[in-house]
């Protein structure tokens, strides 16, 4: 800006002075001597353009021009560096949140032997709803105003969302984290099949090869699992079906839901609020329907302050996954997000094996590693 301003001033001075002398010469009746003086003045002025002072001015212009471009390059370099740092921080936050959520749920359900998965889901969703509402009231986030038309459109996907959470809770109670992580790969297969039949979206041969490897790893993992539990595996298979159904249904519901809002759009935060808020009345009904209320009010574990600390932390981290995933996706791309999600299964599996001291055989360990490799292969295939 300063260089442009200086150039304007210099140009104006160069153009105005000759114009002044010429105007005087043409408009005033001057004798020959006076005209000679003006001619000499103009000659001196023209000669002054080549003077050392003018050379200094040109050098100063070049210096300002070069300085401007150096500053612009420095700003671009700084912007790229800041973008990389933001991507690294957001990706780290997403990975930590995802790992922590699974670990805390496993602690609550297994270590504390809490046998009320629906009640835990209700408490976590209540915490998430409360935080989102408070942030919206403080003006920190923007959410869409709810109306009955929007709620009616969103109910089908919300029912699947609740069933998905509950089945995930119970599978985690009976199966070790590493095997839950490997079996979740089946969700990708079901989603791909659903996209083929519902949306006519075809996958490449690399993707189908990766999914075939996923099936082999899941089957071999089940056969070699020393802590195999049929009930837990049934819950996990149900969870895979429900997760794929949720993903496929969400695509259709989102388009319909946008038509039911005043703004004509529906951001991710509003979807988080819808899912968590609408799940609360359903969860209350199921708590009484499945007799969890009697268990919760008489269980000794609910009298432990540490239990409530862990349960509350799991609710907060569950919400943080929503925000960190949106943050990370905004800083990078869907491809990077998918790849990091696949790579994130590795530390989760290792942590689950070490923290909960899961009994492993060599064949089972190989199946787990094979399944992790299949997840990475799937992400890479989707990238190509």
């Amino acid at each position: 800006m300063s260089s442009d301003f200086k150039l304007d001033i210099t140009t104006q001075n160069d153009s105005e002075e000759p114009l002044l002398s010429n105007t005087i010469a043409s408009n005033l009746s001057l004798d020959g001597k006076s005209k000679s003086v003006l001619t000499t003045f103009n000659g001196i002025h023209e000669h002054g353009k080549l003077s050392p002072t003018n050379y200094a001015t040109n050098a100063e212009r070049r210096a300002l021009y070069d300085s401007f471009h150096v500053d612009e390059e420095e700003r671009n370099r700084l912007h790229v560096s800041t973008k990389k740092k933001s991507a690294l921080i957001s990706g780290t936050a997403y990975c930590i949140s995802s790992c922590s959520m699974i670990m805390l749920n496993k602690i609550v359900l297994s270590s504390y032997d809490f046998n009320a998965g629906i009640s835990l889901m209700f408490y976590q969703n209540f915490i998430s709803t409360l935080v989102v509402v408070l942030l919206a009231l403080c003006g920190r986030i923007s959410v869409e105003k709810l109306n009955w038309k929007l709620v009616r459109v969103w109910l089908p996907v919300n029912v699947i969302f609740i069933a998905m959470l509950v089945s995930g809770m119970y599978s985690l109670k009976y199966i070790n984290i590493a095997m839950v992580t490997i079996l979740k790969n089946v969700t990708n297969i079901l989603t791909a099949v659903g996209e083929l039949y519902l949306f006519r979206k075809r996958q490449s041969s690399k993707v189908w090869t990766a999914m075939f490897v996923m099936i082999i790893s899941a089957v071999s993992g089940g056969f070699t699992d020393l802590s195999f539990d049929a009930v837990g595996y049934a819950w996990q298979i149900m969870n895979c079906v429900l997760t794929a159904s949720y993903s496929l249904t969400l695509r259709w519901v989102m388009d319909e839901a946008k038509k039911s809002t005043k703004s004509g759009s529906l951001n991710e935060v509003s979807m988080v609020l819808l899912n968590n808020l609408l799940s609360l009345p359903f969860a209350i009904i199921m708590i009484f329907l499945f007799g969890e209320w009697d268990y919760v009010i008489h269980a000794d574990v609910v009298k432990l302050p540490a239990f409530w600390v862990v349960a509350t932390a799991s609710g907060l981290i569950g919400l943080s996954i929503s925000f960190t995933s949106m943050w990370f996706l905004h800083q990078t791309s869907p491809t990077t997000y998918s790849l990091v999600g696949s790579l994130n299964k590795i530390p989760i599996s290792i942590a689950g094996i070490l923290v909960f001291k899961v009994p492993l055989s060599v064949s089972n360990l190989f199946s787990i590693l094979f399944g992790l490799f299949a997840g990475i292969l799937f992400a890479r295939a989707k990238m190509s």
Side-chain angles (χ1 to χ4, degrees):
M1 181 64 74
S2 60
S3 61
D4 294 341
F5 181 66
K6 192 173 187 66
L7 287 171
D8 288 342
I9 293 176
T10 307
T11 305
Q12 288 172 6
N13 288 339
D14 288 347
S15 62
E16 286 175 2
E17 290 178 32
L19 180 63
L20 178 62
S21 60
N22 291 334
T23 305
I24 294 173
S26 61
N27 292 302
L28 294 178
S29 179
L30 299 176
D31 56 17
K33 185 176 180 179
S34 299
K35 290 181 178 179
S36 176
V37 171
L38 282 175
T39 303
T40 304
F41 174 79
N42 285 335
I44 293 172
H45 178 77
E46 293 296 327
H47 180 71
K49 292 182 179 179
L50 302 175
S51 65
T53 305
N54 195 257
Y55 283 137
T57 303
N58 290 336
E60 186 178 4
R61 291 179 189 175
R62 286 194 296 271
L64 286 171
Y65 181 81
D66 294 339
S67 174
F68 174 79
H69 278 273
V70 169
D71 291 342
E72 187 176 13
E73 290 177 2
E74 187 65 28
R75 283 195 296 270
N76 291 336
R77 201 178 302 116
L78 183 62
H79 175 73
V80 172
S81 177
T82 304
K83 188 78 173 177
K84 289 181 178 179
K85 289 179 181 178
S86 298
L88 179 62
I89 295 172
S90 60
T92 303
Y94 167 68
C95 290
I96 292 174
S97 299
S98 181
C99 291
S100 301
M101 182 65 180
I102 294 177
M103 296 293 289
L104 287 175
N105 279 344
K106 184 66 176 176
I107 290 172
V108 172
L109 295 167
S110 296
S111 298
Y112 283 103
D113 196 26
F114 188 66
N115 295 316
I118 300 173
S119 299
L120 178 60
M121 180 207 69
F122 170 80
Y123 184 68
Q124 290 175 345
N125 290 1
F126 173 76
I127 293 293
S128 298
T129 302
L130 184 63
V131 173
V132 171
V133 170
L134 289 175
L135 290 175
L137 290 176
C138 295
R140 308 299 297 180
I141 58 175
S142 175
V143 295
E144 192 71 33
K145 290 184 178 180
L146 304 184
N147 56 70
W148 284 113
K149 185 178 179 181
L150 177 60
V151 170
R152 285 196 301 270
V153 170
W154 199 263
L155 275 178
V157 75
N158 188 251
V159 171
I160 300 174
F161 172 75
I162 296 168
M164 179 185 72
L165 292 183
V166 173
S167 60
M169 292 281 189
Y170 282 109
S171 68
L172 197 59
K173 178 176 176 61
Y174 296 105
I175 310 176
N176 67 73
I177 292 176
M179 283 309 304
V180 167
T181 304
I182 301 307
L183 292 171
K184 279 183 177 293
N185 286 335
V186 177
T187 302
N188 296 326
I189 302 170
L190 296 175
T191 304
V193 173
E195 287 178 337
L196 178 62
Y197 284 98
L198 296 177
F199 303 106
R200 302 301 176 188
K201 182 179 180 181
R202 299 186 178 277
Q203 306 293 342
S204 65
S205 58
K206 291 181 179 180
V207 173
W208 288 113
T209 302
M211 289 191 288
F212 179 71
V213 175
M214 287 178 177
I215 295 174
I216 295 175
S217 66
V219 174
S220 62
F223 276 114
T224 58
D225 188 3
L226 297 179
S227 57
F228 179 84
D229 189 294
V231 175
Y233 272 73
W235 278 113
Q236 185 54 50
I237 292 172
M238 188 185 302
N239 178 256
C240 291
V241 174
L242 289 167
T243 304
S245 301
Y246 174 74
S247 176
L248 295 169
T249 308
L250 188 61
R251 292 188 180 186
W252 172 77
V253 170
M254 282 177 61
D255 293 333
E256 293 297 318
K258 290 176 182 179
K259 299 175 184 177
S260 304
T261 60
K262 292 182 178 179
S263 64
S265 63
L266 192 67
N267 58 29
E268 289 85 353
V269 179
S270 299
M271 287 189 279
V272 170
L273 178 61
L274 268 171
N275 270 333
N276 287 280
L277 180 61
L278 296 181
S279 69
L280 299 181
F282 286 104
I284 293 174
I285 294 171
M286 287 191 295
I287 287 171
F288 285 99
L289 188 64
F290 290 96
E292 283 193 3
W293 176 249
D294 291 333
Y295 168 81
V296 170
I297 61 175
H298 293 104
D300 293 332
V301 69
V302 298
K303 300 174 184 177
L304 300 175
F307 169 81
W308 289 104
V309 170
V310 176
T312 303
S314 67
L316 293 173
I317 291 175
L319 179 62
S320 74
I321 292 175
S322 301
F323 287 110
T324 55
S325 61
M326 286 186 288
W327 181 26
F328 183 42
L329 192 58
H330 178 70
Q331 296 296 329
T332 55
S333 65
T335 301
T336 305
Y337 177 81
S338 176
L339 183 59
V340 170
S342 297
L343 292 172
N344 194 36
K345 293 178 180 180
I346 298 174
I348 292 175
S349 300
I350 294 173
I353 292 171
L354 296 177
V355 172
F356 298 99
K357 299 176 181 178
V358 178
L360 285 177
S361 63
V362 176
S363 56
N364 187 235
L365 179 60
F366 177 77
S367 298
I368 292 171
L369 294 176
F370 192 54
L372 294 173
F373 168 75
I376 297 171
L377 185 66
F378 177 79
R380 292 296 301 270
K382 293 286 283 186
M383 289 170 61
S384 60

PDB file of all heavy atoms in Angstrom, residues 178 345-355 372:
ATOM      1  N   ALA A 178      -9.250 -54.672  20.471  1.00  0.00           N
ATOM      2  CA  ALA A 178      -8.584 -54.985  19.202  1.00  0.00           C
ATOM      3  C   ALA A 178      -9.530 -55.685  18.232  1.00  0.00           C
ATOM      4  O   ALA A 178      -9.597 -55.346  17.041  1.00  0.00           O
ATOM      5  CB  ALA A 178      -7.348 -55.846  19.457  1.00  0.00           C
ATOM      6  N   LYS A 345      -6.631 -46.859  14.155  1.00  0.00           N
ATOM      7  CA  LYS A 345      -7.008 -48.149  14.744  1.00  0.00           C
ATOM      8  C   LYS A 345      -5.803 -48.873  15.351  1.00  0.00           C
ATOM      9  O   LYS A 345      -5.963 -49.700  16.245  1.00  0.00           O
ATOM     10  CB  LYS A 345      -7.651 -49.037  13.674  1.00  0.00           C
ATOM     11  CG  LYS A 345      -8.995 -48.531  13.172  1.00  0.00           C
ATOM     12  CD  LYS A 345      -9.551 -49.434  12.084  1.00  0.00           C
ATOM     13  CE  LYS A 345     -10.901 -48.920  11.583  1.00  0.00           C
ATOM     14  NZ  LYS A 345     -11.450 -49.788  10.519  1.00  0.00           N
ATOM     15  N   ILE A 346      -4.612 -48.566  14.856  1.00  0.00           N
ATOM     16  CA  ILE A 346      -3.409 -49.243  15.339  1.00  0.00           C
ATOM     17  C   ILE A 346      -3.127 -48.910  16.804  1.00  0.00           C
ATOM     18  O   ILE A 346      -3.012 -49.825  17.635  1.00  0.00           O
ATOM     19  CB  ILE A 346      -2.206 -48.902  14.441  1.00  0.00           C
ATOM     20  CG1 ILE A 346      -2.462 -49.402  13.019  1.00  0.00           C
ATOM     21  CG2 ILE A 346      -0.921 -49.509  15.002  1.00  0.00           C
ATOM     22  CD1 ILE A 346      -1.397 -48.996  12.016  1.00  0.00           C
ATOM     23  N   PRO A 347      -3.002 -47.614  17.192  1.00  0.00           N
ATOM     24  CA  PRO A 347      -2.766 -47.326  18.618  1.00  0.00           C
ATOM     25  C   PRO A 347      -3.928 -47.749  19.517  1.00  0.00           C
ATOM     26  O   PRO A 347      -3.710 -48.129  20.669  1.00  0.00           O
ATOM     27  CB  PRO A 347      -2.566 -45.807  18.644  1.00  0.00           C
ATOM     28  CG  PRO A 347      -3.182 -45.291  17.393  1.00  0.00           C
ATOM     29  CD  PRO A 347      -2.983 -46.384  16.388  1.00  0.00           C
ATOM     30  N   ILE A 348      -5.179 -47.682  18.995  1.00  0.00           N
ATOM     31  CA  ILE A 348      -6.331 -48.114  19.795  1.00  0.00           C
ATOM     32  C   ILE A 348      -6.215 -49.605  20.124  1.00  0.00           C
ATOM     33  O   ILE A 348      -6.414 -50.022  21.265  1.00  0.00           O
ATOM     34  CB  ILE A 348      -7.649 -47.841  19.042  1.00  0.00           C
ATOM     35  CG1 ILE A 348      -7.899 -46.334  18.915  1.00  0.00           C
ATOM     36  CG2 ILE A 348      -8.828 -48.494  19.758  1.00  0.00           C
ATOM     37  CD1 ILE A 348      -9.112 -45.986  18.076  1.00  0.00           C
ATOM     38  N   SER A 349      -5.872 -50.403  19.121  1.00  0.00           N
ATOM     39  CA  SER A 349      -5.753 -51.854  19.329  1.00  0.00           C
ATOM     40  C   SER A 349      -4.617 -52.178  20.295  1.00  0.00           C
ATOM     41  O   SER A 349      -4.772 -53.005  21.197  1.00  0.00           O
ATOM     42  CB  SER A 349      -5.518 -52.551  17.986  1.00  0.00           C
ATOM     43  OG  SER A 349      -6.589 -52.315  17.100  1.00  0.00           O
ATOM     44  N   ILE A 350      -3.485 -51.537  20.109  1.00  0.00           N
ATOM     45  CA  ILE A 350      -2.326 -51.792  20.979  1.00  0.00           C
ATOM     46  C   ILE A 350      -2.643 -51.393  22.416  1.00  0.00           C
ATOM     47  O   ILE A 350      -2.344 -52.130  23.366  1.00  0.00           O
ATOM     48  CB  ILE A 350      -1.090 -51.028  20.463  1.00  0.00           C
ATOM     49  CG1 ILE A 350      -0.671 -51.586  19.096  1.00  0.00           C
ATOM     50  CG2 ILE A 350       0.065 -51.132  21.451  1.00  0.00           C
ATOM     51  CD1 ILE A 350       0.437 -50.787  18.424  1.00  0.00           C
ATOM     52  N   ALA A 351      -3.259 -50.199  22.567  1.00  0.00           N
ATOM     53  CA  ALA A 351      -3.605 -49.730  23.914  1.00  0.00           C
ATOM     54  C   ALA A 351      -4.605 -50.668  24.579  1.00  0.00           C
ATOM     55  O   ALA A 351      -4.490 -50.968  25.774  1.00  0.00           O
ATOM     56  CB  ALA A 351      -4.178 -48.314  23.832  1.00  0.00           C
ATOM     57  N   GLY A 352      -5.592 -51.134  23.812  1.00  0.00           N
ATOM     58  CA  GLY A 352      -6.588 -52.048  24.370  1.00  0.00           C
ATOM     59  C   GLY A 352      -5.978 -53.358  24.835  1.00  0.00           C
ATOM     60  O   GLY A 352      -6.349 -53.898  25.892  1.00  0.00           O
ATOM     61  N   ILE A 353      -5.025 -53.879  24.069  1.00  0.00           N
ATOM     62  CA  ILE A 353      -4.370 -55.136  24.446  1.00  0.00           C
ATOM     63  C   ILE A 353      -3.529 -54.967  25.706  1.00  0.00           C
ATOM     64  O   ILE A 353      -3.557 -55.802  26.617  1.00  0.00           O
ATOM     65  CB  ILE A 353      -3.496 -55.638  23.270  1.00  0.00           C
ATOM     66  CG1 ILE A 353      -4.390 -56.066  22.103  1.00  0.00           C
ATOM     67  CG2 ILE A 353      -2.606 -56.799  23.709  1.00  0.00           C
ATOM     68  CD1 ILE A 353      -3.621 -56.361  20.833  1.00  0.00           C
ATOM     69  N   LEU A 354      -2.781 -53.859  25.775  1.00  0.00           N
ATOM     70  CA  LEU A 354      -1.872 -53.647  26.910  1.00  0.00           C
ATOM     71  C   LEU A 354      -2.609 -53.265  28.191  1.00  0.00           C
ATOM     72  O   LEU A 354      -2.314 -53.793  29.264  1.00  0.00           O
ATOM     73  CB  LEU A 354      -0.855 -52.553  26.551  1.00  0.00           C
ATOM     74  CG  LEU A 354       0.115 -52.874  25.398  1.00  0.00           C
ATOM     75  CD1 LEU A 354       1.014 -51.678  25.112  1.00  0.00           C
ATOM     76  CD2 LEU A 354       0.949 -54.107  25.742  1.00  0.00           C
ATOM     77  N   VAL A 355      -3.559 -52.334  28.086  1.00  0.00           N
ATOM     78  CA  VAL A 355      -4.250 -51.834  29.285  1.00  0.00           C
ATOM     79  C   VAL A 355      -5.121 -52.915  29.921  1.00  0.00           C
ATOM     80  O   VAL A 355      -5.129 -53.073  31.148  1.00  0.00           O
ATOM     81  CB  VAL A 355      -5.098 -50.596  28.931  1.00  0.00           C
ATOM     82  CG1 VAL A 355      -5.970 -50.185  30.124  1.00  0.00           C
ATOM     83  CG2 VAL A 355      -4.201 -49.430  28.518  1.00  0.00           C
ATOM     84  N   LEU A 372      -5.676 -54.724  10.580  1.00  0.00           N
ATOM     85  CA  LEU A 372      -5.246 -53.325  10.558  1.00  0.00           C
ATOM     86  C   LEU A 372      -4.672 -52.966   9.185  1.00  0.00           C
ATOM     87  O   LEU A 372      -4.930 -51.881   8.659  1.00  0.00           O
ATOM     88  CB  LEU A 372      -4.203 -53.078  11.654  1.00  0.00           C
ATOM     89  CG  LEU A 372      -4.700 -53.223  13.102  1.00  0.00           C
ATOM     90  CD1 LEU A 372      -3.540 -53.121  14.077  1.00  0.00           C
ATOM     91  CD2 LEU A 372      -5.761 -52.174  13.418  1.00  0.00           C
TER      92      LEU A 372
END
